[in-house]
Amino acid sequence: MNQNLSSTTSVAFVASGALRRKFALFGALGLGLLANVSTLQAQTLPTAKPEAVGMSTERLNRVGSWMRTEVAQKRIPGATVMVVRGGKVVYVDTVGQRGPDSAAPMKSDDIFRIYSMSKPIVSVAAMMLVEEGKLLLEAPVARYIPSFANVKVGVEKTDAQGVKSLDLVAPRRPMTVQDLLRHTSGLTYGFFGEGMVKKAYQDADVGTGGDITNAEFAERIAKMPLAFQPGSTWDYSNSTDVLGRVIEVASGQTLFTHLKERLLVPLGMKDTSFYVPDAARQARIAEPFNDDRSIGVNAPVFDPRKVLAMESGGGGLMSTAMDYARFLMMLRNGGQLEGRRYISPATLAFMTSDQLNATVTRTPLYLPGPGYGFGLGFAVRTSAGEAAYPAALGEYYWGGAGGTYMWVDPANDLFVVFMMQSPKQRVPSRSVLRNIIYGAITDTKVSGGH
């Protein structure tokens, strides 16, 4: 059992049928119920009452009320949320059903497609290799994937008759590993937005056509034109998928083998994987509504029960709220958890610093949003204002196309994991969740340390 837990520690947990689960994690403080945490397994985290870390139980319970309304109005099938402050889990709530065709209630250990929340995990794994001298940020991607030496940039032109064409020109400088981490590689995604390069991605079925390995994917995308000159523009892209292949080359292991060995197993992230082949775990997969199963053009919600060769570093992982919370707790602790260090505080500070200077163009669909820059794998808060919701400078976050979301706010010593499956509701839910949780902070200073 975690040495930070005692047999009398409890946490706010609003019951939704999960309370009788064999490995129940938390008591229902908000409803006056109390669970004996001696049943907690080693995978759990320290707990506390919200008031002990400067938060309000009453105000945190607004999260559950809001989520229940979302379920009742059939915007989402179900959801689970976890709030951690001062290094202590202070609130967990699970509502609704696991999926629209399931009578099973959502449970705190259900498994979600986290899509782009895979990116921070893969980015940390890459930076661990950087710390070991096995990977260089300034190195051209072609050092690790030689076919990228021949990549061209697509430049749209329109003739006098209004006919568009795509000229292929040489890049002004090579695409680097750092570009992959900060989405300035010139690569793009083909399932949203407009442009001839994006259309070429769609026509070529980049990332979706056939059962291909990470190596084969990298070769395929290296043949596609870049949408922008490397280093010139922030554009959301397949960069982290290519980074996954770079990790394979630098480490000599498949991406999942490397992630398991270096992060997932030591962190206790037992339910985090690219696919879910075993029937027992398949029963815990959360599903969206049947009319809410698309994340973009030619991009239906994937089926994790079918094991394919590709391990998408940019969007392929499955995970649970507790698994992801353990990853974020490691980041909250400056790169270590339970006596094991994964990354140095200096490297983490570098990753969560804005990497976009004034010369970098932001595309119209700049996903970090107003008040945010972008680091190496995370959006980073650069302004106390501008964004439509509160957070402190230095807060960093990211979300997934399937509806999952997380953020870490070091100044407020707060992090949150939100898991649900609804591509349609992923954006509307985020501001509401943030506003309620920041509204539950009653003391801006919290003790606890690292």
Side-chain angles (χ1 to χ4, degrees):
M1 189 177 76
N2 191 313
Q3 292 180 353
N4 292 313
L5 296 172
S6 71
S7 61
T8 58
T9 306
S10 64
V11 66
F13 187 106
V14 184
S16 63
L19 211 56
R20 294 184 299 275
R21 188 167 182 80
K22 180 178 179 181
F23 297 115
L25 295 181
F26 305 101
L29 183 63
L31 296 182
L33 301 177
L34 198 63
N36 187 324
V37 297
S38 64
T39 62
L40 295 175
Q41 303 303 300
Q43 192 207 11
T44 62
L45 296 172
T47 62
K49 293 182 179 181
E51 284 72 17
V53 293
M55 299 191 79
S56 163
T57 297
E58 178 184 3
R59 285 170 167 261
L60 278 174
N61 282 340
R62 294 171 180 171
V63 174
S65 298
W66 162 67
M67 292 197 305
R68 284 171 175 75
T69 299
E70 294 292 286
V71 170
Q73 296 183 357
K74 298 192 181 303
R75 294 193 184 99
I76 60 174
T80 185
V81 65
M82 182 177 295
V83 180
V84 179
R85 193 167 197 224
K88 307 291 179 63
V89 181
V90 297
Y91 185 82
V92 177
D93 198 352
T94 306
V95 305
Q97 282 69 51
R98 188 172 290 143
D101 301 321
S102 173
M106 184 73 75
K107 295 183 179 179
S108 60
D109 65 346
D110 281 342
I111 301 171
F112 296 80
R113 301 164 183 83
I114 64 171
Y115 278 105
S116 287
M117 276 169 53
S118 307
K119 290 178 170 72
I121 294 173
V122 172
S123 297
V124 167
M127 294 306 293
M128 291 168 70
L129 290 171
V130 170
E131 288 187 335
E132 295 165 5
K134 297 177 181 177
L135 190 60
L136 279 175
L137 293 183
E138 66 269 34
V141 173
R143 176 181 297 186
Y144 306 96
I145 310 173
S147 54
F148 273 86
N150 302 313
V151 72
K152 301 296 184 184
V153 181
V155 179
E156 289 190 26
K157 294 190 175 181
T158 305
D159 65 17
Q161 287 71 44
V163 178
K164 290 185 175 182
S165 63
L166 193 69
D167 282 0
L168 299 181
V169 303
R172 290 192 289 266
R173 70 157 175 80
M175 177 196 306
T176 67
V177 174
Q178 188 173 19
D179 286 323
L180 296 178
L181 280 152
R182 65 188 179 193
H183 293 287
T184 57
S185 63
L187 296 167
T188 191
Y189 271 133
F191 59 81
F192 67 86
E194 298 179 350
M196 296 186 72
V197 172
K198 288 180 179 288
K199 181 64 165 56
Y201 271 52
Q202 295 172 22
D203 293 343
D205 284 333
V206 172
T208 60
D211 185 8
I212 58 176
T213 65
N214 285 8
E216 291 168 332
F217 170 80
E219 294 301 311
R220 176 184 291 184
I221 203 168
K223 293 181 174 65
M224 303 302 298
L226 300 181
F228 306 96
Q229 286 284 346
S232 71
T233 304
W234 188 97
D235 189 44
Y236 208 37
S237 70
N238 285 111
S239 289
T240 317
D241 292 313
V242 175
L243 180 66
R245 176 56 186 162
V246 169
I247 288 172
E248 291 184 334
V249 174
S251 69
Q253 299 175 302
T254 66
L255 182 58
F256 187 44
T257 297
H258 187 72
L259 293 180
K260 281 194 300 183
E261 180 179 302
R262 302 302 306 278
L263 283 170
L264 305 181
V265 171
L267 280 171
M269 298 172 68
K270 61 185 180 63
D271 285 313
T272 302
S273 60
F274 284 107
Y275 300 99
V276 187
D278 52 296
R281 292 177 66 237
Q282 286 177 0
R284 292 159 49 206
I285 296 174
E287 295 290 351
F289 285 121
N290 295 326
D291 64 351
D292 191 9
R293 299 186 66 86
S294 174
I295 63 169
V297 177
N298 297 328
V301 169
F302 71 90
D303 183 2
R305 300 164 185 83
K306 182 180 180 182
V307 178
L308 301 177
M310 187 171 175
E311 297 170 351
S312 169
L317 284 174
M318 306 289 294
S319 194
T320 65
M322 178 55 82
D323 273 16
Y324 213 90
R326 288 185 63 80
F327 172 69
L328 295 186
M329 183 67 87
M330 179 269 290
L331 299 183
R332 178 262 175 193
N333 292 348
Q336 65 87 26
L337 185 66
E338 295 167 356
R340 178 166 179 157
R341 178 157 296 283
Y342 298 84
I343 198 166
S344 81
T347 299
L348 180 59
F350 176 61
M351 293 183 70
T352 56
S353 298
D354 184 20
Q355 302 278 330
L356 307 181
N357 61 39
T359 67
V360 176
T361 300
R362 276 71 162 169
T363 54
L365 190 60
Y366 178 62
L367 296 181
Y372 283 85
F374 199 83
L376 303 181
F378 311 90
V380 181
R381 187 81 172 225
T382 56
S383 170
E386 295 188 64
Y389 45 76
L393 296 178
E395 174 258 324
Y396 53 97
Y397 84 89
W398 208 239
T404 60
Y405 189 55
M406 68 80 174
W407 76 89
V408 181
D409 187 338
N412 282 299
D413 202 355
L414 172 78
F415 72 79
V416 177
V417 179
F418 179 57
M419 296 289 201
M420 63 92 165
Q421 299 283 250
S422 171
K424 291 180 181 178
Q425 297 301 320
R426 67 177 181 261
V427 174
S429 66
R430 294 171 181 177
S431 287
V432 177
L433 182 67
R434 278 180 175 263
N435 290 338
I436 294 174
I437 290 177
Y438 278 96
I441 294 176
T442 57
D443 190 342
T444 57
K445 294 183 174 60
V446 58
S447 60
H450 292 169

